[in-house]
Amino acid sequence: MEKTKSDVATALDLLRMSLATAKGAMAVLDVAYEGGDLDPREVDASYMLNGEVAAIENVIELLTGKGGGGYE
C-alpha cells in the first residue's frame, strides 16, 4: 500500500490523540501515587505507561521528520 501525505497526517492525528490520553492517564496515576493510593502492580503500570508515552512521542518525531526521517 502506498503511503500518502494524507495517510501520514491521519496517523499523526491519531497518535496525538493517543498521546494526550496516555498523558492524562499518567497524570491521574501520578496524583494517586503521590497520595500513596497505588499498590505495587499499579506503580508498575504507571512506569509502563511512561514508556508508552515516550514511544508515541518517538513515532511522532519520526513521522514529522524531527527524528531522522519523515514526510513533511
Side-chain angles (χ1 to χ4, degrees), residues 56-67:
I56 293 170
E57 289 172 338
N58 289 338
V59 172
I60 290 171
E61 287 177 5
L62 287 172
L63 290 174
T64 59
K66 295 177 184 174

Side-chain angles (χ1 to χ4, degrees), residues 14-54:
L14 293 170
L15 286 164
R16 287 179 179 125
M17 286 187 283
S18 295
L19 181 60
T21 301
K23 283 184 173 184
M26 202 166 63
V28 170
L29 287 173
D30 286 347
V31 168
Y33 178 78
E34 288 174 12
D37 294 334
L38 296 183
D39 64 33
R41 184 192 56 189
E42 293 164 333
V43 172
D44 289 344
S46 180
Y47 285 121
M48 291 173 68
L49 186 56
N50 191 35
E52 292 298 318
V53 166

